[in-house]
Amino acid sequence: MTEQTPQMEGAPLIAPSSTDHPLYDNVVEACRSVFDPEIPVNIYDLGLVYTIDIGAENDVQIIMTLTAPGCPVAGEMPGWLADAVEPLDGVKTVNVEITWDPPWGMDMMSDEARLELGFM
């Protein structure tokens, strides 16, 4: 008899991405073209992009965060990201949403970002 894992209440803190969608890699590359103006690393490798959800009609929903709620480009960053993803072949629409839950932390950065910033 196998034990079942108890079902956790609520949604996961970070929703899963559509990693198996044919457009996923192109959307990630587009995300990597957007940089935080205060940090010389793209927002994807900084760990600011939490979820890339691509629907059946190629509608792209991106959930992202910022390094801090007081980030000076908080109002502009979602537009920069949408502008980077929208022109991709096959993308129908793009919606970028900002969340503060879970809050961003340095542990969310990729190894490349850590290396670039001198943390490795």
Side-chain angles (χ1 to χ4, degrees):
M1 186 163 134
T2 59
E3 275 188 25
Q4 285 192 334
T5 306
Q7 191 67 16
M8 300 294 289
E9 280 189 33
L13 286 177
I14 297 176
S17 291
S18 306
T19 55
D20 56 347
H21 194 284
L23 285 174
Y24 180 77
D25 290 337
N26 290 343
V27 172
V28 167
E29 284 311 306
C31 292
R32 283 193 167 119
S33 73
V34 179
F35 284 75
D36 183 315
E38 297 179 330
I39 306 169
V41 174
N42 70 72
I43 63 169
Y44 188 84
D45 288 330
L46 276 176
L48 299 180
V49 176
Y50 284 173
T51 303
I52 298 170
D53 183 34
I54 307 169
E57 301 293 318
N58 293 347
D59 295 303
V60 179
Q61 171 78 22
I62 298 174
I63 301 172
M64 68 171 295
T65 194
L66 300 169
T67 53
C71 178
V73 294
E76 299 170 64
M77 187 84 71
W80 295 346
L81 189 50
D83 288 346
V85 173
E86 233 161 15
L88 294 175
D89 281 343
V91 169
K92 186 175 176 189
T93 62
V94 179
N95 182 44
V96 179
E97 187 181 314
I98 289 189
T99 185
W100 302 109
D101 189 27
W104 178 84
M106 291 179 62
D107 58 323
M108 295 175 170
M109 288 192 287
S110 70
D111 288 344
E112 291 83 2
R114 291 174 201 268
L115 192 59
E116 179 75 27
L117 296 172
F119 295 125
M120 283 181 77

